[in-house]
């Protein structure tokens, strides 16, 4: 394979990119945005070599334990479980929560072959069982998959004697945290209910 | 900006990729396809450092002059003008043409701000005026933009005393070469008419 075809092929690792758009991307980069392509190449390299999962919250970080988890100002007795880093970011914007987080990096989704094992829920269970966490707050999306995930995680943690709550259904049914206005989300955090 | 945000931002250089899909791509690569991401990074680097425009046909090549243009078996008196490398590739599959090519790397498209100057048509004119080329065959798409490009390029070349032809309208009106069956395309090449 020549170098151009190699690039077109490599672009197909991106989700949602088929042969035609990979081709279009390659031409566009080589023709119109070489500096952007250079930046992308370097960013990929840097991210792969320097990003890892935080040993405590499972989110991406450049250190072994991320800044947020190392922050002694935060309440270590509260652990908020979200699906993705973007959910954590929007939750932080509410300024309604001062505890720690655990990022699942996904959700239970049988159709995509993602079950409890693929989500490495044992890592969450271990984290929640550190003796310091007193309450786990489930803040997965209110989609079918997010609800199923909350239900499953809730069952597992409660069976281990851990107190579990779910953020209030202030978030519209079927809605995603990331697209929810900050006020609603803040209310949902305040009104969380014990499971 | 942290390394993850840098990667998400860098992915937005890809055409058609907005902030949400860039985020999804970054998570996907870091989480599920690190080797693919590595390959993409290397391919970008390699393509940027090693691909250039062929001095004769303007397509991408790893040498100063590409293999096709260096092939003395091909008829240097015929020059077929196509929009993109993919068009050249499908034309080659017809086995109906043994001359050389010139790849515009685009088409005249006023709505996108691409005029004759942006297409560097002077490079084509110079190429077609080498004294060896006896006929320029316009094989741009039969879309509005491709037709406008053929019309403009045809006028310019004919005004310089160069014989110009257009592949026959065997290609359906509004159709793109890449999506045309090989037989139709071969017929269109045979039935090309002088402009
Ligand atoms: Zn952390
Ligand atoms: Zn060439």
């Amino acid at each position: 394979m020549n170098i151009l075809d190699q690039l077109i092929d490599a672009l197909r690792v991106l989700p949602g990119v088929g042969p035609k758009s990979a081709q279009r991307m390659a031409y566009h980069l080589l023709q119109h945005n070489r500096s952007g392509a250079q930046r992308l190449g370097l960013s990929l390299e840097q991210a792969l070599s320097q990003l890892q999962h935080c040993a405590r919250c499972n989110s991406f970080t450049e250190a072994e334990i991320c800044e947020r988890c190392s922050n002694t100002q935060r309440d270590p007795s509260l652990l908020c479980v979200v699906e993705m880093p973007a959910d954590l970011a929007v939750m932080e914007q509410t300024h309604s929560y001062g505890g720690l987080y655990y990022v699942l990096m996904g959700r239970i989704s049988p159709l995509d072959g993602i079950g409890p094992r693929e989500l490495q829920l044992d890592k969450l269970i271990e984290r929640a069982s550190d003796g310091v966490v007193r309450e786990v707050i489930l803040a997965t999306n209110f989609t079918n998959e997010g609800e199923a995930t909350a239900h499953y995680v809730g069952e597992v943690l409660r069976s281990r004697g851990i107190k579990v709550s779910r953020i209030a259904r202030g978030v519209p049914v079927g809605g995603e945290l990331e697209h929810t206005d900050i006020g609603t989300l803040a209310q949902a955090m305040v009104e969380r209910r014990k499971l």
Side-chain angles (χ1 to χ4, degrees), chain A:
Chain A
M1 215 170 6
N2 67 43
I3 290 176
L4 178 60
D5 289 336
Q6 275 174 39
L7 173 58
I8 292 170
D9 194 65
L11 282 163
R12 296 197 53 196
V13 305
L14 300 169
V17 174
K20 304 290 299 183
S21 37
Q23 201 175 57
R24 203 175 324 120
M25 286 174 168
Y27 295 152
H28 173 82
L29 291 177
L30 290 168
Q31 191 81 352
H32 301 297
N33 199 344
R34 298 177 64 88
S35 66
Q38 192 122 38
R39 192 156 59 87
L40 176 55
L42 289 174
S43 292
L44 281 166
E45 221 174 288
Q46 208 176 23
L48 287 169
S49 65
Q50 294 181 42
L51 287 185
Q52 50 184 306
H53 289 287
C54 171
R56 303 203 79 204
C57 71
N58 199 39
S59 193
F60 292 116
T61 170
E62 298 162 36
E64 200 204 329
I65 293 179
C66 77
E67 271 187 62
R68 191 171 294 107
C69 290
S70 313
N71 184 348
T72 55
Q73 302 294 305
R74 303 195 70 117
D75 181 352
S77 71
L78 294 176
L79 188 68
C80 178
V81 176
V82 294
E83 296 180 19
M84 297 297 290
D87 301 322
L88 186 161
V90 75
M91 186 62 82
E92 281 295 277
Q93 286 175 42
T94 69
H95 299 293
S96 68
Y97 180 69
L100 296 175
Y101 288 93
Y102 186 87
V103 183
L104 293 171
M105 291 290 177
R107 76 272 327 150
I108 292 177
S109 172
L111 288 179
D112 301 316
I114 300 173
R117 189 172 305 176
E118 286 68 32
L119 270 189
Q120 300 181 286
L121 284 185
D122 44 346
K123 204 171 150 187
L124 164 60
I125 293 165
E126 197 191 316
R127 171 71 186 86
S129 311
D130 70 347
V132 180
V133 171
R134 283 186 301 103
E135 179 182 352
V136 172
I137 303 163
L138 301 176
T140 54
N141 288 320
F142 280 87
T143 55
N144 287 340
E145 294 173 346
E147 288 277 48
T149 305
H151 181 77
Y152 185 91
V153 172
E155 290 292 321
V156 170
L157 293 177
R158 278 195 303 159
S159 75
R160 279 167 179 73
I162 298 168
K163 184 178 161 195
V164 182
S165 60
R166 176 86 165 109
I167 58 170
R169 192 184 291 262
V171 181
V173 175
E176 296 181 317
L177 260 67
E178 239 188 305
H179 301 116
T180 303
D181 72 286
I182 305 304
T184 306
L185 206 53
Q187 196 60 32
M189 173 57 82
V190 171
E191 290 181 9
R192 66 183 183 268
R193 63 196 161 79
K194 186 174 171 304
L195 288 191

